[in-house]
Amino acid sequence: MSSKSENLTENPVHTEEVYDELEKLISSVDAEEKELKMKMEKKNSNGTENKPQESNGLADLKNENELKNINELEGNSVVMKNENGNEEKKSDEDDNHLEFKDSQNNSEDGKEELELSEMIVCDEVAGDSDEDDNKIEVEATNANDKDKYEKDTKKIKKETKEKESNKKKYDKKSDSKSKDRSRKEDSKRVDKKRSRTPSKERSSKDSSLKKRSKTIDKEKESKKLRELDKFWQTVRDDPSDFIGWTYLLQYVDGAKNIEAAREAYDAFLDLYPYCYGYWRKYADYERKNGTKENCEKVFDRGLKAIPLSVDLWIHYMGYMKSAYPDDEDMIREQFERAVEACGIEFRSDRLWDHYIKFELECKQYSRVTDIYERLIATPTHGFLNNFECFKDYVKKYPKNKILEAVKFLELRKEVLAEIKEADAKKNHGRKIDSGSDSDEMADPMEQRTKEENLMKEKMIASRIVIHKNTAEMVALRLPYEEMIKRPYFHVKPLERSQIRNWKEYLEFEIGHGSYKRIVVLFERCLIACALYEEFWTKYVSYLESLESDDQEVKDRIEDIYIRACTVHHKNKPGINLTWALHLENNGQYDKAAQILDMLDSVSPDKKLIIQRRINLERRRNCNDRVCELYEHYISTANSSLTSILLTIKYARFVWKMLHNTDRASEILLAEVEKINNVQKSSRLLLQLIEIKMSDNPMNISAIVKLIDSILTMKSIEVEQQVIFAQRKVEFLEEFGKDILLINRASTELKRYMKTYNESEKKSEVIDTKT
């Protein structure tokens, strides 16, 4: 409705012409209807009516009836009866046709007018039959056949009564139809008047329709946004919900909102970059709804994320061939990229086939030969079929086409030498006429065919050795390949047999394969086993074991850590701590600190992460940062034991590294006062005594005073008194000079021991009673 109203408002002159034409059409229909009503009224008043000039064939029917009456006047009474019978049948058929037409309720005005015209024709035919019957009656009286005529007239009267009743019914129906038609016409006129309202009113109505359509569109858009938020909320709550992500992507594919689709695809593929099928879908979406540049960017990102995906490469090459059909060099360059990236993948045969097909279409037969030579030397799943295709190819095309000029001439030279040698052996012992020319005697076509066949055989024979070597390589790897049931990525766990097979396959390849084949197998393994940390660390260990200064190996190690720690194992401490050590080893302290900081925020209670973080700052001489971290972790420790251990380490750092014994003692005493329990803080107190003993020169009286203060603390127990009294005696015996002080310490220890033994006996008595 909105579109129609907009069209009307845009072209008001055209609408006025349309309305004028509609008025003319309606007036013509009204005139025809009036004529039909006049005819009906005349027919009802005068009975039957003769119409000599009709366009519907009534004049012909009247002439036929006059001929019939002439035959009846000649005395053919039998014929009259038959004709009467036929007329009766005809009238019955007309009546049935009338009833059938009345039963059809069609709402269109043109069809109703057609029905009315057909009804009138049928009634006029019936009127003509009545007039003929009257003429027959007069002639029959003259022929002295009154009895038969009276019987016939009775029948005709009955029939006329039935016809009159049918006409009345029809008149009622036609009146009702005409009333309905008049109502429709009135409603049309009203609509016309409404539509012919002033332009201001029409514009206000149209604007209201536009506003209504805009509000409807806004409601639909808001509804879509609410549904999209629901799908997003699911994956925000649980980013590992793989099925939730698939539902989100399915929704944005059909929502026709390119920005929402890009956001969803980017977020999903950042988490799961090994899902090559969704890279394909994303590229196809950009191809349909976005731009060519964006589509190619998506392909580049996908091929960088999963370069061993044969399916993704084939899909990409199909796109490039359709997007750049005339640029053979560029397409060939992309095929080389694909073969270089995953050409030695065990299931890469289809990619090679596409490359060969492309070069055949370009009629670059020498390039096809080079591709086949590389392919038959590569151990792939279809190595047997590849060699058979190569043989068929060599047999099909001339050798001067499938070989480069230099190679072709070299091969032909070898073949000609062999032919000459064979001919020499064949003609050995024969005397050849000096004047005869063997070249002229030989058939050129036969000679060329012989050369072709020999070149073909030499080309195939020279590759058989390579094919056998390839077959041996495939035979060694085929048992492991057949055990791989899931070579693609999925969040579901792998079976133990699959994990064991990957480990054994990697060990075999490391022992027998080359560097490139080992790397490709590791990359294949990581696609299927991306969620298993052990394979990432195994890959890094292999590369580090090479002890190579090659920058490519170093870059690969860095890339493995980035993929493992930023995508697949963000929150796992093991490989992230290893990465931090690797970065620190390469002098990248800031990056290492960032990784440890991230791990600390993810798992703040890990003691190993805390210690690694502090030691990293200590190793790069950031002592202030070390103190800050110690104080932070001591104040936020989740247990008293953790707090005590960190305090002791902090005091040792200040004591040994900063050479500040007073500050170290303060750190320990502050923790002792906070705990306020000698039994729990005994390790702190012993460390405090050890720090005091490290003074140079040693202050014996200060150490004895410290031990005495510990022995008199309110929270100390008898067992702890024995321990510290014993420590006092040992210290004085080793470093003390006053024997009286030593004896006094020994007596004190005996008193504590006695108290401790008595408390132990009491506890034993209590235990026996209970």
Side-chain angles (χ1 to χ4, degrees):
M1 290 294 292
S2 61
S3 63
K4 290 181 179 179
S5 62
E6 288 173 2
N7 292 330
L8 290 171
T9 54
E10 287 174 0
N11 195 0
V13 178
H14 180 67
T15 53
E16 294 294 332
E17 294 176 357
V18 172
Y19 291 140
D20 294 336
E21 290 177 0
L22 286 172
E23 283 184 352
K24 290 178 182 179
L25 182 60
I26 291 167
S27 61
S28 63
V29 171
D30 291 338
E32 290 177 359
E33 186 180 358
K34 288 178 181 179
E35 289 179 2
L36 290 171
K37 285 183 179 180
M38 292 292 291
K39 289 177 182 179
M40 291 296 294
E41 289 175 358
K42 287 180 181 180
K43 189 167 66 173
N44 291 330
S45 61
N46 297 327
T48 59
E49 184 180 38
N50 293 326
K51 296 181 181 180
Q53 293 179 353
E54 291 290 334
S55 62
N56 53 12
L58 290 177
D60 296 334
L61 289 172
K62 186 174 181 182
N63 292 330
E64 290 178 1
N65 289 329
E66 288 177 354
L67 290 171
K68 290 178 184 178
N69 291 329
I70 291 167
N71 291 328
E72 289 169 0
L73 289 172
E74 291 176 355
N76 294 329
S77 61
V78 178
V79 175
M80 180 190 69
K81 290 180 181 179
N82 291 331
E83 288 178 356
N84 288 330
N86 291 330
E87 289 176 358
E88 289 172 5
K89 289 180 181 178
K90 188 173 181 180
S91 62
D92 292 336
E93 290 175 357
D94 294 337
D95 294 335
N96 292 330
H97 182 67
L98 179 65
E99 291 176 359
F100 175 74
K101 287 290 181 180
D102 291 336
S103 64
Q104 291 180 340
N105 294 322
N106 198 325
S107 61
E108 297 181 1
D109 295 337
K111 290 184 178 180
E112 289 177 357
E113 291 172 2
L114 182 61
E115 288 177 2
L116 286 170
S117 63
E118 290 176 352
M119 292 293 189
I120 294 168
V121 169
C122 294
D123 291 335
E124 289 173 349
V125 171
D128 292 338
S129 64
D130 292 338
E131 185 179 357
D132 294 337
D133 291 337
N134 292 326
K135 290 181 180 181
I136 291 167
E137 186 178 357
V138 173
E139 295 296 333
T141 52
N142 294 328
N144 296 320
D145 200 4
K146 291 181 180 180
D147 294 333
K148 291 180 180 180
Y149 177 74
E150 287 176 358
K151 292 179 181 180
D152 293 333
T153 51
K154 287 179 181 179
K155 290 180 180 180
I156 290 167
K157 286 179 180 179
K158 289 180 181 179
E159 291 173 0
T160 52
K161 287 180 180 179
E162 291 176 356
K163 289 178 182 180
E164 287 176 358
S165 63
N166 289 330
K167 286 178 183 178
K168 290 178 180 179
K169 291 179 180 178
Y170 169 73
D171 292 338
K172 290 180 180 178
K173 290 181 180 179
S174 62
D175 291 337
S176 63
K177 288 183 179 179
S178 62
K179 289 179 181 179
D180 293 335
R181 194 161 55 251
S182 63
R183 288 173 185 170
K184 290 179 182 178
E185 290 171 359
D186 292 338
S187 64
K188 287 180 181 178
R189 291 191 186 94
V190 172
D191 293 335
K192 261 196 233 177
K193 290 179 180 177
R194 289 177 180 174
S195 63
R196 288 188 176 183
T197 52
S199 59
K200 292 182 179 180
E201 295 179 3
R202 282 205 307 273
S203 62
S204 63
K205 289 180 180 179
D206 294 336
S207 62
S208 63
L209 288 172
K210 287 181 181 178
K211 288 179 181 179
R212 191 179 300 170
S213 63
K214 286 181 180 179
T215 54
I216 291 169
D217 293 337
K218 286 181 180 179
E219 288 176 358
K220 288 181 179 179
E221 191 67 25
S222 62
K223 185 179 179 181
K224 288 181 180 179
L225 290 173
R226 287 196 298 271
E227 291 176 353
L228 181 62
D229 289 338
K230 289 179 182 178
F231 284 110
W232 266 111
Q233 192 60 42
T234 302
V235 295
R236 286 193 188 103
D237 294 339
D238 185 11
S240 62
D241 185 2
F242 188 83
I243 296 174
W245 280 106
T246 59
Y247 284 135
L248 172 62
L249 296 178
Q250 186 179 359
Y251 179 80
V252 297
D253 276 338
K256 295 182 179 179
N257 187 338
I258 192 166
E259 294 301 328
R262 285 171 179 167
E263 183 183 4
Y265 271 112
D266 290 338
F268 172 78
L269 292 169
D270 285 343
L271 286 175
Y272 303 105
Y274 285 152
C275 293
Y276 69 91
Y278 286 95
W279 285 112
R280 286 180 55 182
K281 291 182 71 176
Y282 192 7
D284 290 340
Y285 184 88
E286 286 288 355
R287 188 177 182 179
K288 293 177 183 177
N289 304 294
T291 61
K292 186 177 179 180
E293 291 76 12
N294 287 331
C295 178
E296 292 177 6
K297 285 179 182 178
V298 171
F299 270 121
D300 289 339
R301 288 171 56 196
L303 294 172
K304 184 179 179 181
I306 181 168
L308 287 176
S309 175
V310 176
D311 290 324
L312 187 58
W313 275 110
I314 291 173
H315 195 67
Y316 171 65
M317 294 313 304
Y319 164 77
M320 295 300 288
K321 287 166 71 176
S322 63
Y324 304 96
D326 300 327
D327 197 345
E328 292 182 7
D329 294 334
M330 191 270 290
I331 295 170
R332 186 174 293 112
E333 182 182 350
Q334 298 305 314
F335 265 118
E336 283 296 324
R337 271 185 65 204
V339 170
E340 182 66 24
C342 64
I344 63 174
E345 210 269 358
F346 195 74
R347 292 177 174 84
S348 61
D349 300 283
R350 291 189 298 117
L351 178 62
W352 289 98
D353 292 341
H354 279 273
Y355 194 6
I356 292 169
K357 184 180 177 182
F358 166 74
E359 294 293 3
L360 286 173
E361 290 172 353
C362 297
K363 296 182 180 180
Q364 298 291 329
Y365 300 109
S366 61
R367 294 182 184 275
V368 175
T369 305
D370 293 338
I371 296 169
Y372 267 121
E373 288 183 351
R374 293 157 64 187
L375 177 57
I376 61 178
T378 304
T380 60
H381 188 267
F383 75 103
L384 289 173
N385 183 60
N386 296 333
F387 192 65
E388 292 298 322
C389 291
F390 171 70
K391 291 194 292 185
D392 294 338
Y393 166 74
V394 171
K395 293 174 184 178
K396 184 176 180 181
Y397 295 97
K399 306 306 166 285
N400 60 341
K401 287 186 177 182
I402 64 176
L403 290 174
E404 295 178 358
V406 176
K407 292 182 179 180
F408 170 72
L409 293 174
E410 289 177 357
L411 181 61
R412 186 171 182 273
K413 187 177 180 180
E414 292 176 7
V415 168
L416 290 175
E418 290 181 3
I419 291 172
K420 278 187 177 182
E421 186 178 353
D423 290 341
K425 288 180 181 179
K426 186 177 180 181
N427 296 325
H428 183 66
R430 294 182 183 179
K431 292 181 179 180
I432 302 173
D433 187 6
S434 61
S436 64
D437 192 354
S438 60
D439 293 333
E440 292 178 359
M441 294 174 63
D443 186 1
M445 292 299 296
E446 184 179 351
Q447 184 74 13
R448 184 172 181 178
T449 304
K450 191 175 182 180
E451 289 179 11
E452 282 282 332
N453 291 333
L454 283 174
M455 283 191 286
K456 175 185 69 178
E457 290 173 3
K458 283 187 73 66
M459 285 184 68
I460 294 172
S462 63
R463 274 76 175 181
I464 288 176
V465 177
I466 300 172
H467 175 62
K468 287 182 179 179
N469 186 29
T470 304
E472 292 175 0
M473 295 173 69
V474 171
L476 291 172
R477 290 161 178 80
L478 193 59
Y480 301 106
E481 291 288 345
E482 289 178 344
M483 280 293 293
I484 298 172
K485 305 300 180 185
R486 198 181 81 185
Y488 53 87
F489 171 81
H490 205 282
V491 293
K492 291 181 180 178
L494 276 170
E495 298 176 358
R496 290 183 180 179
S497 59
Q498 294 286 293
I499 296 172
R500 184 172 61 252
N501 180 66
W502 278 113
K503 289 179 180 178
E504 293 173 357
Y505 196 3
L506 288 168
E507 291 295 334
F508 163 80
E509 200 67 62
I510 289 171
H512 296 82
S514 63
Y515 168 76
K516 188 173 182 180
R517 295 198 62 82
I518 294 167
V519 168
V520 169
L521 184 61
F522 264 115
E523 293 292 344
R524 286 179 61 198
C525 173
L526 291 178
I527 293 172
C529 308
L531 302 181
Y532 294 88
E533 188 178 353
E534 56 187 304
F535 290 101
W536 294 92
T537 55
K538 187 177 182 69
Y539 193 7
V540 172
S541 298
Y542 162 72
L543 293 173
E544 289 178 344
S545 67
L546 299 176
E547 295 180 355
S548 174
D549 293 332
D550 189 359
Q551 189 62 38
E552 191 271 335
V553 176
K554 294 179 180 179
D555 293 340
R556 188 173 292 277
I557 293 172
E558 188 69 22
D559 179 64
I560 293 165
Y561 276 124
I562 291 171
R563 284 185 286 156
C565 299
T566 63
V567 179
H568 302 285
H569 301 282
K570 288 182 179 180
N571 302 329
K572 291 187 178 180
I575 194 166
N576 279 278
L577 289 172
T578 308
W579 187 24
L581 287 175
H582 171 76
L583 291 171
E584 185 181 353
N585 188 41
N586 293 331
Q588 298 178 351
Y589 297 105
D590 292 334
K591 286 187 177 180
Q594 289 175 4
I595 293 167
L596 294 172
D597 189 18
M598 180 273 296
L599 287 175
D600 184 43
S601 62
V602 173
S603 52
D605 298 333
K606 296 286 184 181
K607 295 178 183 177
L608 182 60
I609 297 171
I610 294 170
Q611 201 60 46
R612 285 283 183 88
R613 227 184 142 188
I614 292 170
N615 291 335
L616 171 65
E617 300 298 336
R618 179 183 57 79
R619 283 193 290 270
R620 62 172 177 169
N621 298 321
C622 294
N623 295 328
D624 293 337
R625 180 61 177 161
V626 172
C627 295
E628 288 177 6
L629 289 173
Y630 268 124
E631 291 172 1
H632 167 71
Y633 287 123
I634 290 168
S635 62
T636 58
N638 59 351
S639 66
S640 59
L641 179 61
T642 303
S643 178
I644 290 167
L645 293 175
L646 289 173
T647 303
I648 292 171
K649 288 180 179 294
Y650 183 24
R652 285 177 183 172
F653 170 76
V654 174
W655 170 30
K656 297 292 184 181
M657 299 300 295
L658 302 182
H659 308 289
N660 191 342
T661 56
D662 294 336
R663 175 62 183 149
S665 300
E666 290 176 2
I667 291 168
L668 293 170
L669 285 172
E671 189 65 19
V672 169
E673 291 176 359
K674 186 177 74 173
I675 295 172
N676 196 20
N677 188 321
V678 177
Q679 186 176 0
K680 291 181 179 181
S681 59
S682 58
R683 297 179 66 176
L684 294 168
L685 294 169
L686 291 172
Q687 184 66 48
L688 183 60
I689 293 169
E690 187 176 355
I691 290 172
K692 290 291 184 181
M693 289 172 64
S694 65
D695 288 342
N696 190 15
M698 186 184 298
N699 191 346
I700 296 174
S701 61
I703 296 171
V704 171
K705 186 177 179 181
L706 174 62
I707 296 173
D708 289 339
S709 64
I710 294 170
L711 290 170
T712 57
M713 292 179 78
K714 293 181 180 180
S715 60
I716 195 168
E717 296 180 358
V718 179
E719 184 180 1
Q720 299 297 322
Q721 286 177 334
V722 172
I723 293 171
F724 282 100
Q726 189 175 1
R727 180 64 177 145
K728 180 180 177 181
V729 171
E730 290 174 357
F731 171 74
L732 290 172
E733 285 180 350
E734 290 176 4
F735 303 102
K737 295 180 180 180
D738 190 353
I739 189 64
L740 294 176
L741 191 61
I742 295 171
N743 292 333
R744 196 181 303 133
S746 299
T747 304
E748 188 179 17
L749 175 62
K750 291 177 183 178
R751 188 174 71 250
Y752 287 130
M753 288 289 294
K754 184 178 178 181
T755 306
Y756 175 74
N757 291 330
E758 289 176 356
S759 62
E760 285 292 317
K761 288 179 181 179
K762 286 181 181 180
S763 60
E764 288 176 1
V765 171
I766 293 169
D767 291 337
T768 54
K769 288 181 179 180
T770 54

